[in-house]
Amino acid sequence: MEKHDGGGPGEVRFDDPWYDALASGWGEVDGTGALAPAVPAARSGHQEHTGGAAHVYLEVQRSAAFQEVRGRYRRFVIPAVAVFFPWYVGYVVTATTAPGFMARPVVGVVNVALLAGLGQFLTTFLLAWAYARHARLRRDRAALELRWDTQEMTRNARGGER
C-alpha cells in the first residue's frame, strides 16, 4: 500500500488489481441502515497465509474453483473460435480469390459478397451476445465469489484490513 498525493491526511490506497469499490459494496448500506461490510466474510476453510500476495494468487490459480471458471471459459471460447474464425477467413479469402463468385447476383442488385458481408456483421453481433450471456449465466457469479475469497486471502496475507 502506498500514500497518494491529493487525498486527505491518512487516506491510503491498496494497489490491488482485484479491488473494485463498487463491486465490493464499500459505502453501501445494509437493510438496517448501517454500512454494509466491504467484502463478504471469508469462507470457513480459509487459514492464515504466509508468503504474501504472490503466494495467494498462485494458490488461487491452483484451486478447483479457479480451474472450474477457467474451464467454463474455455468450453465456450474454443468452439466459438473454431466456428467463427474459419467463417471469417473464408469470407476474406473468397472475396480476394473469387471475385466472380462474390459478384454473382442473388436478388436484383444484391450479390453474394453483400450477403456474406452482412452475414459477418450478424455473426459478430450474435457471437458477442452469446459470449455476454454465457459469462453472465455460467461464469460471473463463480468468478466474483473467487474474487472475494482472493481479496480476503490477500488481506490476511498482508496482515491487515482495509
Side-chain angles (χ1 to χ4, degrees):
M1 86 181 141
E2 63 188 54
K3 175 88 171 100
H4 293 275
D5 294 332
E11 284 188 46
V12 177
R13 188 186 95 192
F14 282 91
D15 289 324
D16 184 355
W18 292 88
Y19 174 69
D20 181 354
L22 294 176
S24 64
W26 281 53
E28 297 177 8
V29 293
D30 63 6
T32 65
L35 287 179
V39 176
R43 295 205 182 347
S44 59
H46 291 301
Q47 295 105 14
E48 192 74 19
H49 298 282
T50 58
H55 173 73
V56 169
Y57 288 110
L58 288 174
E59 183 179 331
V60 168
Q61 185 179 9
R62 293 182 194 114
S63 72
F66 181 84
Q67 296 304 322
E68 178 62 27
V69 170
R70 186 184 217 177
R72 289 177 184 180
Y73 170 78
R74 287 181 177 169
R75 282 191 293 274
F76 179 85
V77 170
I78 291 172
V81 168
V83 170
F84 184 78
F85 191 69
W87 157 235
Y88 172 75
V89 170
Y91 170 74
V92 172
V93 168
T94 304
T96 57
T97 61
F101 172 73
M102 296 299 266
R104 183 175 295 159
V106 176
V107 176
V109 296
V110 177
N111 60 17
V112 173
L114 182 61
L115 289 178
L118 292 174
Q120 288 289 313
F121 279 106
L122 178 64
T123 55
T124 299
F125 287 115
L126 285 174
L127 182 60
W129 170 81
Y131 178 82
R133 183 176 186 275
H134 179 269
R136 185 182 73 246
L137 296 176
R138 309 262 184 205
R139 292 191 326 266
D140 286 352
R141 186 176 310 257
L144 186 57
E145 288 176 9
L146 185 62
R147 176 182 173 184
W148 284 338
D149 291 344
T150 304
Q151 284 180 332
E152 188 64 31
M153 291 166 64
T154 303
R155 190 177 355 258
N156 290 342
R158 288 182 179 156
E161 293 289 326
R162 275 193 204 269

